[in-house]
Amino acid sequence: GFRPFAMFETIRSKYKLPEFNAYVDADEALGVGEDSWRHSVMEIEIMCQTQDDVSAALGTIDKIAGMIGAEELPAKQGGKLEAYIRAKCPRMLDKLVEASVLTE
């Protein structure tokens, strides 16, 4: 039969920053039971009306990130489950890399 290898819950907090016309979503995944694993990510979002708005929005996102101490994650960081596998399941990670599902 099947048995779980990862159990965590996610707490999401949403914030609106009207002075920047921006939104911040903060997710924190917490291990369940005796598992003390923790993974936190944040997304800063500004909706643009046109392609011409994107450059200014990226500048504003950088400003907000600096104000709250946020750092950009590496491009291939993966989501919560991948972060859990990388931190807690080395044998499973090896199998997923071997099957070309994940990279090292």
Side-chain angles (χ1 to χ4, degrees), residues 8-40:
F8 52 85
E9 63 182 37
T10 300
I11 300 169
R12 172 168 282 179
S13 301
K14 298 175 90 48
Y15 305 93
K16 183 176 183 179
L17 303 174
E19 64 272 27
F20 297 105
N21 195 30
Y23 297 87
V24 176
D25 292 341
D27 285 355
E28 184 171 27
L30 306 170
V32 173
E34 296 177 17
D35 193 343
S36 63
W37 179 79
R38 170 178 267 160
H39 179 72
S40 301

Side-chain angles (χ1 to χ4, degrees), residues 50-97:
T50 70
Q51 184 67 34
D52 294 337
D53 299 336
V54 172
S55 181
L58 290 173
T60 302
I61 288 170
D62 287 342
K63 181 178 181 177
I64 294 167
M67 291 170 57
I68 61 178
E71 297 177 11
E72 189 171 348
L73 292 174
K76 298 218 175 193
Q77 178 71 23
K80 295 174 282 215
L81 182 57
E82 182 178 337
Y84 184 91
I85 290 169
R86 290 184 183 281
K88 296 288 207 169
C89 306
R91 285 185 284 157
M92 178 173 288
L93 176 61
D94 289 343
K95 289 178 182 180
L96 292 169
V97 168

